[in-house]
Amino acid sequence: MTAKLIKGTEIRDEILGEIKQEVENIKTKYGVVPGLVTILVGENPASISYVTAKIKAAQSLGFKEIQDNQPEDITEQQLLALIDRYNKDDSIHGILVQLPLPKGIDEKKVLNAIDPDKDVDGFHPVNVGRLMIGGAEVKFPPCTPAGIQELIVRSGFETKGAEVVVVGRSNIVGKPIAIMMLQKAANANATVTVVHTATKDLAYHCKRAEILIVAAGVPGLVKPEWIKPGACVIDVGVNRVGEKISEKTGRKVAILKGDVDFDAAKEIAGAITPVPGGVGPMTITMLMRNTLNSLKFKLGIAGT
Ligand code: NAD
């Protein structure tokens, strides 16, 4: 292997350490801690496991953390009233509603009811607008793109003036990371190209990339010959391609593959993220950082 492995788990631990220290400092100086509520409706096993991971992270950082589990038959009106209550609760700085919601509840309406200043996922249209404007306007960059940016920068890659190619244009990864990388700001200021399903020659664009970010959801889409020697390759894709028995637990687990042909790409790239263990560990970490930042905005100490 010639590429440096960008280990999301190590960078995650580094950032979690920074957040924990800041939480302690703020608690000592101001007597408050970040407050996060996770609202889970029903008992979808995947949702329970996502929420549990978020709760564990919040607890380990010393946040105030509320798990608000609601029954499957909650009405839209009751859910909106619940969100309104947390919008008005001064001890809560981040509100998460785990998706999907049961049929009959308008997800868009529910997510848009969250106070944009507590929308730590960064998906509220107000926060999408703030991200587009950039600079001091940005409160909560969406978590996976924010994690990608950290992986690039903390691996020592210069983004200023770099040719960045993003494969994929989803609202949660492709579009926001493209916007973030092109802002005239530190850790950005790149020349950005976004490619997608209607792009005529994917290989041509990928080959120009000094930083290649792939979020297509297609296993092995990016071939080794599409990679510029020495490039930084961020593989966001998480694709279940089969099952295996875990050596650790003896239980069936999914075999996960990224959107990049990792084994061949690692011989050409300068640095590359593995799947799993690359981008994945960063998302919840960035959610925690957004929650901390929400409190810092409220205290008037954001950016410090
Ligand atoms: P999506 O399906 O919403 O969007 C995929 C995008 O890729 C689309 O814009 C589409 O135009 C483009 N695309 C698809 N096939 C293509 C092809 N053959 N050529 C060119 N472009 C193509 O997916 P998403 O939500 O952005 O997620 C993408 C991948 O990232 C998925 O595998 C998902 O599981 C993974 N993901 C991981 C994390 C994480 O690790 N934390 C978070 C979000 C998404």
Side-chain angles (χ1 to χ4, degrees):
M1 169 156 175
T2 55
K4 172 185 163 191
L5 196 62
I6 302 176
K7 291 184 186 155
T9 43
E10 279 179 11
I11 295 177
R12 168 197 66 193
D13 291 347
E14 194 179 304
I15 297 173
L16 286 176
E18 293 165 9
I19 297 174
K20 198 166 182 188
Q21 186 59 55
E22 259 201 277
V23 171
E24 279 167 24
N25 294 348
I26 289 174
K27 189 175 175 187
T28 307
K29 194 159 174 197
Y30 299 93
V32 285
V33 294
L36 179 68
V37 60
T38 51
I39 300 174
L40 172 67
V41 179
E43 289 172 5
N44 176 332
S47 295
I48 292 173
S49 97
Y50 293 139
V51 164
T52 306
K54 291 169 191 174
I55 290 166
K56 265 171 88 176
Q59 285 172 341
S60 76
L61 294 169
F63 286 16
K64 170 181 170 173
E65 177 275 319
I66 297 176
Q67 307 164 43
D68 194 327
N69 294 351
Q70 294 293 327
E72 186 87 19
D73 61 359
I74 189 172
T75 65
E76 187 177 287
Q77 224 174 5
Q78 286 169 327
L79 194 52
L80 291 172
L82 189 67
I83 290 172
D84 189 49
R85 213 181 78 207
Y86 288 119
N87 280 344
K88 290 176 180 147
D89 183 338
D90 279 343
S91 70
I92 293 297
H93 310 99
I95 302 172
L96 294 176
V97 178
Q98 186 64 46
L99 299 181
L101 293 172
K103 276 191 191 124
I105 297 186
D106 183 343
E107 283 186 356
K108 206 165 157 190
K109 198 166 168 189
V110 168
L111 294 183
N112 288 356
I114 297 172
D115 178 347
D117 289 343
K118 296 189 179 187
D119 164 47
V120 285
D121 263 333
F123 294 140
H124 191 288
V126 167
N127 285 317
V128 176
R130 287 169 168 165
L131 191 81
M132 183 67 106
I133 296 166
E137 289 287 331
V138 183
K139 285 204 156 171
F140 308 123
C143 302
T144 301
I148 294 169
Q149 195 174 30
E150 287 292 344
L151 290 177
I152 296 167
V153 171
R154 291 186 189 233
S155 303
F157 280 82
E158 175 61 84
T159 57
K160 186 178 175 186
E163 289 287 342
V164 171
V165 175
V166 178
V167 184
R169 55 178 162 187
S170 72
N171 286 331
I172 63 165
V173 190
K175 273 194 245 174
I177 189 62
I179 296 294
M180 287 161 74
M181 296 310 292
L182 78 78
Q183 299 291 3
K184 192 168 182 180
N187 303 336
N189 215 358
T191 301
V192 182
T193 305
V194 182
V195 298
H196 46 76
T197 41
T199 299
K200 285 183 185 137
D201 190 345
L202 275 184
Y204 163 78
H205 292 286
C206 291
K207 261 191 254 176
R208 290 189 301 105
E210 292 165 299
I211 298 171
L212 179 62
I213 301 166
V214 192
V218 180
L221 173 71
V222 172
K223 311 289 176 253
E225 58 274 20
W226 297 10
I227 294 169
K228 188 184 175 90
C232 171
V233 179
I234 305 291
D235 188 353
V236 190
V238 181
N239 306 292
R240 285 165 192 264
V241 293
E243 284 184 335
K244 62 177 181 185
I245 302 294
S246 159
E247 280 176 23
K248 259 194 210 162
T249 63
R251 285 203 218 127
K252 255 193 205 167
V253 289
I255 301 173
L256 301 178
K257 277 239 150 57
D259 289 349
V260 177
D261 177 353
F262 179 84
D263 289 333
K266 71 184 190 321
E267 304 302 332
I268 300 162
I272 188 166
T273 55
V275 177
V279 177
M282 297 298 290
T283 301
I284 290 181
T285 307
M286 294 298 111
L287 188 65
M288 298 302 131
R289 194 165 77 179
N290 277 352
T291 308
L292 167 63
N293 281 339
S294 180
L295 170 61
K296 289 173 71 179
F297 278 114
K298 204 174 147 205
L299 293 172
I301 57 168
T304 60

